[in-house]
mmCIF file of all heavy atoms in Angstrom:
data_model
loop_
_atom_site.group_PDB
_atom_site.id
_atom_site.type_symbol
_atom_site.label_atom_id
_atom_site.label_comp_id
_atom_site.label_asym_id
_atom_site.label_seq_id
_atom_site.Cartn_x
_atom_site.Cartn_y
_atom_site.Cartn_z
ATOM 1 N N LYS A 1200 -28.210 31.338 -39.497
ATOM 2 C CA LYS A 1200 -27.460 31.864 -38.437
ATOM 3 C C LYS A 1200 -26.012 32.049 -38.699
ATOM 4 O O LYS A 1200 -25.298 32.925 -38.273
ATOM 5 C CB LYS A 1200 -27.700 31.121 -37.140
ATOM 6 C CG LYS A 1200 -29.111 31.092 -36.626
ATOM 7 C CD LYS A 1200 -29.188 30.246 -35.326
ATOM 8 C CE LYS A 1200 -30.573 30.315 -34.791
ATOM 9 N NZ LYS A 1200 -30.671 29.339 -33.619
ATOM 10 N N ARG A 1201 -25.477 31.099 -39.432
ATOM 11 C CA ARG A 1201 -24.029 31.006 -39.664
ATOM 12 C C ARG A 1201 -23.703 31.941 -40.675
ATOM 13 O O ARG A 1201 -24.291 32.146 -41.812
ATOM 14 C CB ARG A 1201 -23.651 29.629 -40.174
ATOM 15 C CG ARG A 1201 -22.273 29.458 -40.693
ATOM 16 C CD ARG A 1201 -22.061 28.000 -41.274
ATOM 17 N NE ARG A 1201 -20.900 27.894 -42.013
ATOM 18 C CZ ARG A 1201 -20.702 28.279 -43.284
ATOM 19 N NH1 ARG A 1201 -21.711 28.763 -43.937
ATOM 20 N NH2 ARG A 1201 -19.568 28.233 -43.878
ATOM 21 N N HIS A 1202 -22.680 32.725 -40.435
ATOM 22 C CA HIS A 1202 -22.109 33.724 -41.475
ATOM 23 C C HIS A 1202 -21.264 32.915 -42.476
ATOM 24 O O HIS A 1202 -20.554 32.068 -42.168
ATOM 25 C CB HIS A 1202 -21.316 34.798 -40.701
ATOM 26 C CG HIS A 1202 -22.003 35.686 -39.807
ATOM 27 N ND1 HIS A 1202 -22.971 36.541 -40.268
ATOM 28 C CD2 HIS A 1202 -21.960 35.845 -38.456
ATOM 29 C CE1 HIS A 1202 -23.575 37.198 -39.258
ATOM 30 N NE2 HIS A 1202 -22.893 36.791 -38.050
ATOM 31 N N PHE A 1203 -21.455 33.380 -43.761
ATOM 32 C CA PHE A 1203 -20.721 32.783 -44.782
ATOM 33 C C PHE A 1203 -19.241 32.866 -44.518
ATOM 34 O O PHE A 1203 -18.628 33.896 -44.341
ATOM 35 C CB PHE A 1203 -21.102 33.342 -46.177
ATOM 36 C CG PHE A 1203 -20.295 32.972 -47.232
ATOM 37 C CD1 PHE A 1203 -20.403 31.628 -47.787
ATOM 38 C CD2 PHE A 1203 -19.351 33.744 -47.774
ATOM 39 C CE1 PHE A 1203 -19.686 31.155 -48.936
ATOM 40 C CE2 PHE A 1203 -18.548 33.230 -48.887
ATOM 41 C CZ PHE A 1203 -18.716 31.953 -49.356
ATOM 42 N N SER A 1204 -18.575 31.704 -44.741
ATOM 43 C CA SER A 1204 -17.105 31.672 -44.645
ATOM 44 C C SER A 1204 -16.443 31.546 -45.956
ATOM 45 O O SER A 1204 -16.659 30.478 -46.669
ATOM 46 C CB SER A 1204 -16.534 30.466 -43.683
ATOM 47 O OG SER A 1204 -15.263 30.366 -43.533
ATOM 48 N N ALA A 1205 -15.736 32.490 -46.447
ATOM 49 C CA ALA A 1205 -15.141 32.492 -47.747
ATOM 50 C C ALA A 1205 -14.093 31.445 -47.869
ATOM 51 O O ALA A 1205 -13.782 30.845 -48.834
ATOM 52 C CB ALA A 1205 -14.490 33.746 -48.073
ATOM 53 N N ASN A 1206 -13.529 31.115 -46.568
ATOM 54 C CA ASN A 1206 -12.355 30.070 -46.575
ATOM 55 C C ASN A 1206 -12.982 28.780 -46.349
ATOM 56 O O ASN A 1206 -12.732 28.040 -45.220
ATOM 57 C CB ASN A 1206 -11.367 30.423 -45.561
ATOM 58 C CG ASN A 1206 -10.147 29.610 -45.665
ATOM 59 O OD1 ASN A 1206 -9.866 29.104 -46.707
ATOM 60 N ND2 ASN A 1206 -9.389 29.461 -44.507
ATOM 61 N N CYS A 1207 -13.782 28.200 -47.241
ATOM 62 C CA CYS A 1207 -14.487 26.961 -47.103
ATOM 63 C C CYS A 1207 -13.507 25.699 -47.016
ATOM 64 O O CYS A 1207 -12.928 25.375 -47.900
ATOM 65 C CB CYS A 1207 -15.508 26.758 -48.160
ATOM 66 S SG CYS A 1207 -16.470 25.205 -47.955
ATOM 67 N N PHE A 1208 -13.480 25.081 -45.840
ATOM 68 C CA PHE A 1208 -12.547 24.029 -45.543
ATOM 69 C C PHE A 1208 -12.950 22.825 -46.390
ATOM 70 O O PHE A 1208 -12.154 22.045 -46.873
ATOM 71 C CB PHE A 1208 -12.481 23.723 -44.123
ATOM 72 C CG PHE A 1208 -11.401 22.751 -43.748
ATOM 73 C CD1 PHE A 1208 -10.129 22.949 -43.748
ATOM 74 C CD2 PHE A 1208 -11.782 21.366 -43.323
ATOM 75 C CE1 PHE A 1208 -9.102 22.131 -43.416
ATOM 76 C CE2 PHE A 1208 -10.826 20.457 -43.065
ATOM 77 C CZ PHE A 1208 -9.512 20.809 -43.075
ATOM 78 N N ARG A 1209 -14.227 22.653 -46.481
ATOM 79 C CA ARG A 1209 -14.829 21.519 -47.232
ATOM 80 C C ARG A 1209 -14.214 21.335 -48.624
ATOM 81 O O ARG A 1209 -13.915 20.150 -49.123
ATOM 82 C CB ARG A 1209 -16.306 21.541 -47.192
ATOM 83 C CG ARG A 1209 -17.020 20.134 -47.352
ATOM 84 C CD ARG A 1209 -18.503 20.341 -47.320
ATOM 85 N NE ARG A 1209 -19.052 20.181 -46.026
ATOM 86 C CZ ARG A 1209 -19.972 20.860 -45.430
ATOM 87 N NH1 ARG A 1209 -20.472 21.872 -46.058
ATOM 88 N NH2 ARG A 1209 -20.408 20.539 -44.199
ATOM 89 N N LEU A 1210 -14.100 22.488 -49.374
ATOM 90 C CA LEU A 1210 -13.541 22.429 -50.699
ATOM 91 C C LEU A 1210 -12.145 21.986 -50.756
ATOM 92 O O LEU A 1210 -11.666 21.514 -51.793
ATOM 93 C CB LEU A 1210 -13.817 23.713 -51.274
ATOM 94 C CG LEU A 1210 -15.209 24.239 -51.523
ATOM 95 C CD1 LEU A 1210 -15.213 25.645 -52.188
ATOM 96 C CD2 LEU A 1210 -16.183 23.287 -52.234
ATOM 97 N N ARG A 1211 -11.428 22.133 -49.684
ATOM 98 C CA ARG A 1211 -10.049 21.781 -49.677
ATOM 99 C C ARG A 1211 -9.826 20.261 -49.295
ATOM 100 O O ARG A 1211 -8.723 19.766 -49.396
ATOM 101 C CB ARG A 1211 -9.175 22.684 -48.761
ATOM 102 C CG ARG A 1211 -9.238 24.153 -49.148
ATOM 103 C CD ARG A 1211 -8.392 24.978 -48.124
ATOM 104 N NE ARG A 1211 -8.514 26.345 -48.362
ATOM 105 C CZ ARG A 1211 -7.691 27.073 -49.127
ATOM 106 N NH1 ARG A 1211 -6.690 26.460 -49.784
ATOM 107 N NH2 ARG A 1211 -7.891 28.411 -49.320
ATOM 108 N N SER A 1212 -10.770 19.672 -48.610
ATOM 109 C CA SER A 1212 -10.487 18.532 -47.762
ATOM 110 C C SER A 1212 -11.228 17.290 -48.324
ATOM 111 O O SER A 1212 -10.773 16.190 -48.122
ATOM 112 C CB SER A 1212 -10.812 18.696 -46.353
ATOM 113 O OG SER A 1212 -12.223 18.938 -46.162
ATOM 114 N N THR A 1213 -12.406 17.472 -48.929
ATOM 115 C CA THR A 1213 -13.231 16.357 -49.432
ATOM 116 C C THR A 1213 -13.575 16.319 -50.854
ATOM 117 O O THR A 1213 -13.957 17.230 -51.365
ATOM 118 C CB THR A 1213 -14.523 16.463 -48.537
ATOM 119 O OG1 THR A 1213 -14.249 16.549 -47.142
ATOM 120 C CG2 THR A 1213 -15.469 15.221 -48.781
ATOM 121 N N MET A 1214 -13.431 15.099 -51.424
ATOM 122 C CA MET A 1214 -13.931 14.867 -52.700
ATOM 123 C C MET A 1214 -15.261 14.139 -52.563
ATOM 124 O O MET A 1214 -15.347 13.177 -51.912
ATOM 125 C CB MET A 1214 -12.976 14.019 -53.545
ATOM 126 C CG MET A 1214 -13.558 13.616 -54.860
ATOM 127 S SD MET A 1214 -12.359 12.810 -56.090
ATOM 128 C CE MET A 1214 -11.549 14.227 -56.791
ATOM 129 N N VAL A 1215 -16.136 14.486 -53.376
ATOM 130 C CA VAL A 1215 -17.506 13.880 -53.385
ATOM 131 C C VAL A 1215 -17.798 13.269 -54.704
ATOM 132 O O VAL A 1215 -17.346 13.864 -55.774
ATOM 133 C CB VAL A 1215 -18.617 14.985 -53.114
ATOM 134 C CG1 VAL A 1215 -19.966 14.289 -53.151
ATOM 135 C CG2 VAL A 1215 -18.377 15.695 -51.895
ATOM 136 N N VAL A 1216 -18.230 12.078 -54.788
ATOM 137 C CA VAL A 1216 -18.457 11.283 -56.027
ATOM 138 C C VAL A 1216 -19.856 10.806 -56.068
ATOM 139 O O VAL A 1216 -20.383 10.065 -55.142
ATOM 140 C CB VAL A 1216 -17.433 10.164 -56.197
ATOM 141 C CG1 VAL A 1216 -17.693 9.410 -57.544
ATOM 142 C CG2 VAL A 1216 -16.097 10.654 -56.117
ATOM 143 N N ALA A 1217 -20.678 11.126 -57.037
ATOM 144 C CA ALA A 1217 -22.049 10.750 -57.261
ATOM 145 C C ALA A 1217 -22.073 9.333 -57.745
ATOM 146 O O ALA A 1217 -21.030 8.732 -58.114
ATOM 147 C CB ALA A 1217 -22.736 11.671 -58.117
ATOM 148 N N ALA A 1218 -23.194 8.709 -57.717
ATOM 149 C CA ALA A 1218 -23.410 7.320 -58.169
ATOM 150 C C ALA A 1218 -22.940 6.967 -59.475
ATOM 151 O O ALA A 1218 -22.375 5.908 -59.834
ATOM 152 C CB ALA A 1218 -24.911 6.911 -57.976
ATOM 153 N N ASN A 1219 -22.963 8.001 -60.428
ATOM 154 C CA ASN A 1219 -22.536 7.786 -61.810
ATOM 155 C C ASN A 1219 -21.113 8.146 -62.016
ATOM 156 O O ASN A 1219 -20.698 8.075 -63.218
ATOM 157 C CB ASN A 1219 -23.491 8.494 -62.810
ATOM 158 C CG ASN A 1219 -23.335 10.013 -62.708
ATOM 159 O OD1 ASN A 1219 -22.749 10.571 -61.737
ATOM 160 N ND2 ASN A 1219 -23.747 10.709 -63.701
ATOM 161 N N GLY A 1220 -20.404 8.568 -61.041
ATOM 162 C CA GLY A 1220 -18.961 8.886 -61.174
ATOM 163 C C GLY A 1220 -18.781 10.426 -61.258
ATOM 164 O O GLY A 1220 -17.605 10.773 -61.236
ATOM 165 N N ASP A 1221 -19.802 11.184 -61.381
ATOM 166 C CA ASP A 1221 -19.658 12.792 -61.454
ATOM 167 C C ASP A 1221 -19.062 13.110 -60.144
ATOM 168 O O ASP A 1221 -19.401 12.753 -59.020
ATOM 169 C CB ASP A 1221 -20.915 13.447 -61.764
ATOM 170 C CG ASP A 1221 -21.431 13.298 -63.184
ATOM 171 O OD1 ASP A 1221 -20.534 13.041 -64.066
ATOM 172 O OD2 ASP A 1221 -22.569 13.666 -63.474
ATOM 173 N N VAL A 1222 -18.203 14.205 -60.203
ATOM 174 C CA VAL A 1222 -17.734 14.858 -59.034
ATOM 175 C C VAL A 1222 -18.182 16.216 -58.891
ATOM 176 O O VAL A 1222 -17.831 17.122 -59.425
ATOM 177 C CB VAL A 1222 -16.121 14.936 -59.203
ATOM 178 C CG1 VAL A 1222 -15.473 15.538 -57.814
ATOM 179 C CG2 VAL A 1222 -15.519 13.549 -59.323
ATOM 180 N N PRO A 1223 -19.247 16.357 -57.969
ATOM 181 C CA PRO A 1223 -19.723 17.689 -57.629
ATOM 182 C C PRO A 1223 -18.824 18.514 -56.866
ATOM 183 O O PRO A 1223 -17.796 17.992 -56.222
ATOM 184 C CB PRO A 1223 -20.986 17.445 -56.803
ATOM 185 C CG PRO A 1223 -20.820 16.037 -56.163
ATOM 186 C CD PRO A 1223 -19.929 15.317 -57.169
ATOM 187 N N LEU A 1224 -18.966 19.827 -56.843
ATOM 188 C CA LEU A 1224 -18.079 20.668 -56.155
ATOM 189 C C LEU A 1224 -18.085 20.392 -54.605
ATOM 190 O O LEU A 1224 -17.007 20.396 -54.016
ATOM 191 C CB LEU A 1224 -18.450 22.195 -56.294
ATOM 192 C CG LEU A 1224 -17.708 23.273 -55.720
ATOM 193 C CD1 LEU A 1224 -16.164 23.156 -56.334
ATOM 194 C CD2 LEU A 1224 -18.247 24.655 -56.028
ATOM 195 N N CYS A 1225 -19.191 20.002 -54.105
ATOM 196 C CA CYS A 1225 -19.258 19.588 -52.649
ATOM 197 C C CYS A 1225 -20.486 18.877 -52.389
ATOM 198 O O CYS A 1225 -21.376 18.779 -53.360
ATOM 199 C CB CYS A 1225 -19.102 20.741 -51.684
ATOM 200 S SG CYS A 1225 -20.605 21.717 -51.401
ATOM 201 N N CYS A 1226 -20.816 18.480 -51.234
ATOM 202 C CA CYS A 1226 -22.014 17.744 -50.890
ATOM 203 C C CYS A 1226 -23.306 18.566 -51.035
ATOM 204 O O CYS A 1226 -24.335 17.992 -51.074
ATOM 205 C CB CYS A 1226 -21.923 17.141 -49.495
ATOM 206 S SG CYS A 1226 -21.771 18.264 -48.097
ATOM 207 N N TYR A 1227 -23.118 19.798 -50.970
ATOM 208 C CA TYR A 1227 -24.379 20.713 -51.147
ATOM 209 C C TYR A 1227 -24.691 20.880 -52.703
ATOM 210 O O TYR A 1227 -25.797 21.335 -53.061
ATOM 211 C CB TYR A 1227 -24.201 21.996 -50.529
ATOM 212 C CG TYR A 1227 -24.464 22.012 -49.117
ATOM 213 C CD1 TYR A 1227 -23.589 21.560 -48.140
ATOM 214 C CD2 TYR A 1227 -25.622 22.526 -48.532
ATOM 215 C CE1 TYR A 1227 -23.841 21.462 -46.766
ATOM 216 C CE2 TYR A 1227 -25.994 22.342 -47.266
ATOM 217 C CZ TYR A 1227 -25.106 21.926 -46.435
ATOM 218 O OH TYR A 1227 -25.347 21.877 -44.972
ATOM 219 N N ASP A 1228 -23.903 20.474 -53.582
ATOM 220 C CA ASP A 1228 -24.074 20.460 -55.043
ATOM 221 C C ASP A 1228 -24.869 19.231 -55.409
ATOM 222 O O ASP A 1228 -24.345 18.351 -56.026
ATOM 223 C CB ASP A 1228 -22.753 20.543 -55.658
ATOM 224 C CG ASP A 1228 -22.901 20.728 -57.243
ATOM 225 O OD1 ASP A 1228 -24.062 21.036 -57.640
ATOM 226 O OD2 ASP A 1228 -21.948 20.706 -57.928
ATOM 227 N N LYS A 1229 -26.105 19.042 -54.963
ATOM 228 C CA LYS A 1229 -26.777 17.821 -55.009
ATOM 229 C C LYS A 1229 -27.173 17.374 -56.381
ATOM 230 O O LYS A 1229 -27.384 16.263 -56.703
ATOM 231 C CB LYS A 1229 -27.944 17.893 -54.008
ATOM 232 C CG LYS A 1229 -27.714 18.179 -52.645
ATOM 233 C CD LYS A 1229 -28.845 18.365 -51.648
ATOM 234 C CE LYS A 1229 -28.254 18.531 -50.274
ATOM 235 N NZ LYS A 1229 -29.397 18.865 -49.343
ATOM 236 N N ASN A 1230 -27.375 18.290 -57.338
ATOM 237 C CA ASN A 1230 -27.696 18.058 -58.738
ATOM 238 C C ASN A 1230 -26.504 18.214 -59.645
ATOM 239 O O ASN A 1230 -26.642 18.163 -60.873
ATOM 240 C CB ASN A 1230 -28.824 18.914 -59.276
ATOM 241 C CG ASN A 1230 -30.239 18.424 -58.836
ATOM 242 O OD1 ASN A 1230 -30.497 17.240 -59.149
ATOM 243 N ND2 ASN A 1230 -31.032 19.262 -58.189
ATOM 244 N N CYS A 1231 -25.230 18.152 -59.020
ATOM 245 C CA CYS A 1231 -24.039 18.165 -59.755
ATOM 246 C C CYS A 1231 -24.048 19.279 -60.738
ATOM 247 O O CYS A 1231 -23.379 19.134 -61.935
ATOM 248 C CB CYS A 1231 -23.657 16.762 -60.416
ATOM 249 S SG CYS A 1231 -23.561 15.536 -59.260
ATOM 250 N N GLN A 1232 -24.493 20.507 -60.444
ATOM 251 C CA GLN A 1232 -24.581 21.642 -61.355
ATOM 252 C C GLN A 1232 -23.133 22.293 -61.545
ATOM 253 O O GLN A 1232 -22.857 22.916 -62.471
ATOM 254 C CB GLN A 1232 -25.632 22.699 -60.770
ATOM 255 C CG GLN A 1232 -26.946 22.289 -60.762
ATOM 256 C CD GLN A 1232 -27.830 23.191 -59.928
ATOM 257 O OE1 GLN A 1232 -27.561 23.495 -58.779
ATOM 258 N NE2 GLN A 1232 -28.891 23.680 -60.630
ATOM 259 N N HIS A 1233 -22.291 22.011 -60.588
ATOM 260 C CA HIS A 1233 -20.904 22.480 -60.558
ATOM 261 C C HIS A 1233 -19.910 21.360 -60.608
ATOM 262 O O HIS A 1233 -18.896 21.266 -59.974
ATOM 263 C CB HIS A 1233 -20.619 23.411 -59.395
ATOM 264 C CG HIS A 1233 -21.583 24.438 -59.181
ATOM 265 N ND1 HIS A 1233 -21.495 25.710 -59.785
ATOM 266 C CD2 HIS A 1233 -22.762 24.557 -58.537
ATOM 267 C CE1 HIS A 1233 -22.438 26.488 -59.440
ATOM 268 N NE2 HIS A 1233 -23.251 25.828 -58.692
ATOM 269 N N SER A 1234 -20.179 20.414 -61.563
ATOM 270 C CA SER A 1234 -19.390 19.236 -61.641
ATOM 271 C C SER A 1234 -17.943 19.471 -62.056
ATOM 272 O O SER A 1234 -17.721 20.356 -62.985
ATOM 273 C CB SER A 1234 -19.989 18.183 -62.575
ATOM 274 O OG SER A 1234 -19.184 17.102 -62.758
#
């Protein structure tokens, strides 16, 4: 239902770190494909 927002705030505000230390692009990058 939500329209895509090009100005994604999450990418500016939050660093995500996986258990092995990889930094995915955001929390939706669950397999760290965009590390």
Side-chain angles (χ1 to χ4, degrees):
K1200 293 179 181 178
R1201 170 185 169 273
H1202 295 295
F1203 172 73
S1204 174
N1206 191 25
C1207 179
F1208 185 76
R1209 198 178 269 141
L1210 296 184
R1211 299 181 187 270
S1212 64
T1213 305
M1214 174 175 275
V1215 182
V1216 181
N1219 69 342
D1221 282 345
V1222 179
L1224 185 59
C1225 81
C1226 60
Y1227 277 81
D1228 186 11
K1229 297 174 183 179
N1230 274 308
C1231 297
Q1232 295 170 302
H1233 305 274
S1234 178

